[in-house]
Amino acid sequence: MRTRLPAPGRTISAGRRPHRRPAHPGPAGALALGLLAAFALAPASAGASGSLVSLRVVGAAPVPSITSFPFQVGMFIQSPGGGFGAQATLAFCGGVIIDPTQILTAAHCVSNELSGAPVPPASVTLLAGTAMLPPAVPTQPVAANIAIDPHYDTRTADYDLAVVTLTAPLYTGSPRPDGTAAIAPIPLVTPALATRFANPNLSPAEPVTISGWGETAPLGVGAQDDSADLPHQLQAAQTHLVPDATCAAQYASLGSLGVPAITPRMLCAGEPTGGIDACSGDSGGPLVVDVDSPAAPPGDYVLAGLIDFGAGCAQPGFPGVYVRLATPEIAAFIGQQAAAQGQQLAAAPAPAGIAPVRRMLAGSGTASIAAASGRVSSRVARVAVRCRRATCTGTITLRTTTTVGIAHFAIAANTTKRVPVRITPRGREQLVRHGHRLLTRATLRTTGAPATQRAFTLTG
C-alpha cells in the first residue's frame, strides 16, 4: 500500500514506491486505467534506487463503499519526462483529505526522486468520493500547489510528507466521516491520542487500519513486480503496530542493501508472520486508529500515519513503514499549511467508553474492573491502569483464595490503557457460585516500586 520513490544509489523494493507506468495517451490525452492495470510498472529511471522497498495493501478486503473511508483519495501524477525520469510516466499514489482544499500524501509521490523538488502542480489530479478507479485518468480536481516538508530527505525517506492544495474545494460545509458522507476530512492524531491509541510500544499491540488501491500480492525482499496490476476497487486491512526498537532492528539488517533506517518520524505496522501490508500504489495513503470503545468507524477514526515504504510487501520480519504524524515538527508543518490557506483542520473526537481511573500514588497503581459482558462465558475482564512514572510494567493478578484472572501490562507514564484479563476456569466457577459477583483483589506491580493491592468486585 505504500509507495516511495527510490533515492539515488539505493535499492528500494518495488512494493513501496509510487505505482508508475509508461504514459500512453488515451482519449483527451488521458491514460486509460485499463492500460494502467495491464502494463507493467515503468523501470526505475537511471540513478533511482533499485527495488528493496515496496508499497501496497496486501491481505486486504474490498471496500464496498467509499463512505467507510471518505477521506481516502487516489492521486495521478503525469510526467512528460524529467519529473520521475527521462521517460514520460504516470504515477499512482494514495492521499488523505484533511480540509476542503488540502490533501496529505507522501513527498516521494509528488517530487523529483533525485532532487526532491515538487513536480508541476498541474500534473497532479485526484480521484475522490468513490471506491472504484475510473476508466480514465481524472482531469479534475487539479493541484494548485505542492508543499513538501522542508526536512524531507530523498536519501533517508525521513519526513516523507507533502501537502497538496487543490484549485477548487472538494466539499462545502462540515461533512463528517459518519458512514454516509462520500467525501469528508479526517482528524489528525493528537499527541495525547497517539500515546493511548497509536503507541507502538504498548502491549498487546495496537490495531490499525490501512487502505488503498495498491498492489495486492505479496512481494519478496528485493523482488520485482514488473507485471503487477492495481485493483479497481479500494482495499482495506487491519494490522498491528510494531514496537519502535523491534522495527529499527529489523530494518537495520538491510542497511547494507540501501534500505532506509527507521527514524523517530516513522511508525511501523505489520504481522510477525507477514501476510498483511501496504504495497506499490498505496504510498501516501492513510493509516488510521480507532479512538473509541466499542469501535464505531469511520466516525472515531483519526489519522496516525501515511504509507511510506517497506522491505518487499507482507514479508515476515519486515513490517510496513509509515510517516508518524504525531511528530511535533510534522504536525506543525501540516498546521502551517492549513493556516496559510485559511483552513481549519477537523477536530479529533473525544474518546468515549473508557472507564474513569483514579489517580495513582507515584510508583503504585490502581485498577478498576468492569465485566466485558453480562455473561460469565465472556471470560474477560477489563482493567484500566494509570501510571505516573516513566513506564509501568508488571502483572495484574486477581485473587480470592486462588488466582481467578491474570494479565501482563506495559504502558507509558500519564496514560490509561485497558488491559484484557484472562479469567481462569476456577475464576468462572467462583463467579457462578457467588451469583456472578465476586470480591477479589488486584495485585499491581510497577517497575521500581513495591506491589500494590486494591480490592474490587468482579462481575460477569
Side-chain angles (χ1 to χ4, degrees):
M1 279 208 220
R2 46 200 168 241
T3 57
R4 196 180 86 60
L5 291 181
R10 301 217 333 264
T11 22
I12 303 275
S13 154
R16 300 289 194 283
R17 68 183 184 216
H19 197 93
R20 299 204 302 271
R21 296 183 184 272
H24 295 269
L31 172 67
L33 279 185
L35 297 177
L36 190 65
F39 290 144
L41 282 172
S45 61
S49 67
S51 73
L52 269 190
V53 174
S54 63
L55 312 153
R56 68 182 154 228
V57 183
V58 178
V63 175
S65 171
I66 195 63
T67 57
S68 297
F69 296 88
F71 42 82
Q72 170 89 51
V73 300
M75 300 185 63
F76 299 82
I77 306 96
Q78 300 190 63
S79 169
F84 297 110
Q87 182 183 23
T89 57
L90 174 70
F92 181 83
C93 278
V96 189
I97 301 170
I98 58 169
D99 63 48
T101 63
Q102 294 189 307
I103 305 297
L104 284 187
T105 191
H108 73 258
C109 288
V110 290
S111 64
N112 183 290
E113 60 193 284
L114 302 179
S115 68
V119 300
S123 68
V124 179
T125 57
L126 255 64
L127 173 72
T130 178
M132 300 296 294
L133 291 180
V137 174
T139 58
Q140 295 288 334
V142 180
N145 183 66
I146 298 173
I148 293 175
D149 191 297
H151 301 97
Y152 172 52
D153 189 330
T154 61
R155 298 167 300 173
T156 64
D158 209 3
Y159 294 92
D160 193 353
L161 175 82
V163 178
V164 177
T165 301
L166 306 178
T167 55
L170 290 172
Y171 60 85
T172 58
S174 303
R176 297 185 57 81
D178 58 3
T180 63
I183 296 179
I186 185 172
L188 302 183
V189 69
T190 64
L193 290 176
T195 300
R196 296 174 62 182
F197 301 102
N199 187 338
N201 302 314
L202 297 180
S203 179
E206 294 292 306
V208 296
T209 300
I210 53 179
S211 56
W213 286 275
E215 299 165 21
T216 57
L219 184 70
V221 178
Q224 298 289 339
D225 53 356
D226 293 337
S227 61
D229 295 334
L230 297 182
H232 287 279
Q233 190 166 2
L234 182 66
Q235 307 284 305
Q238 188 176 85
T239 186
H240 296 84
L241 295 179
V242 174
D244 291 331
T246 300
C247 187
Q250 290 167 330
Y251 274 84
S253 67
L254 299 177
S256 62
L257 300 176
V259 175
I262 303 303
T263 77
R265 274 72 60 185
M266 298 175 185
L267 193 64
C268 300
E271 302 301 305
T273 57
I276 301 177
D277 198 4
C279 206
S280 293
D282 291 319
S283 288
L287 176 146
V288 301
V289 295
D290 197 297
V291 297
D292 206 351
S293 180
D300 48 9
Y301 278 156
V302 296
L303 184 66
L306 295 178
I307 297 165
D308 195 1
F309 69 88
C313 296
Q315 296 304 301
F318 295 106
V321 183
Y322 300 78
V323 180
R324 196 174 199 143
L325 297 182
T327 305
E329 304 94 318
I330 288 177
F333 169 72
I334 298 171
Q336 290 164 4
Q337 297 306 310
Q341 297 299 320
Q343 300 289 354
Q344 186 169 357
L345 300 176
I354 304 297
V357 182
R358 295 189 297 273
R359 295 188 71 84
M360 294 168 51
L361 298 175
S364 65
T366 61
S368 61
I369 307 297
S373 78
R375 299 175 2 184
V376 176
S377 59
S378 69
R379 306 176 72 170
V380 173
R382 295 285 181 179
V383 179
V385 182
R386 170 167 289 206
C387 295
R388 293 180 62 186
R389 290 198 171 186
T391 304
C392 296
T393 60
T395 302
I396 297 170
T397 306
L398 306 180
R399 297 179 182 277
T400 52
T401 55
T402 61
T403 298
V404 298
I406 192 167
H408 303 285
F409 69 93
I411 61 176
N414 299 311
T415 62
T416 299
K417 182 170 179 62
R418 296 181 64 165
V419 183
V421 177
R422 185 167 51 201
I423 304 300
T424 67
R426 176 64 173 162
R428 292 196 302 276
E429 292 174 7
Q430 292 194 35
L431 279 171
V432 173
R433 185 181 307 166
H434 292 84
H436 304 275
R437 293 181 62 83
L438 186 65
L439 181 65
T440 185
R441 300 189 71 82
T443 301
L444 285 75
R445 296 180 175 86
T446 60
T447 303
T452 303
Q453 283 198 343
R454 295 290 187 272
F456 300 97
T457 299
L458 176 63
T459 61

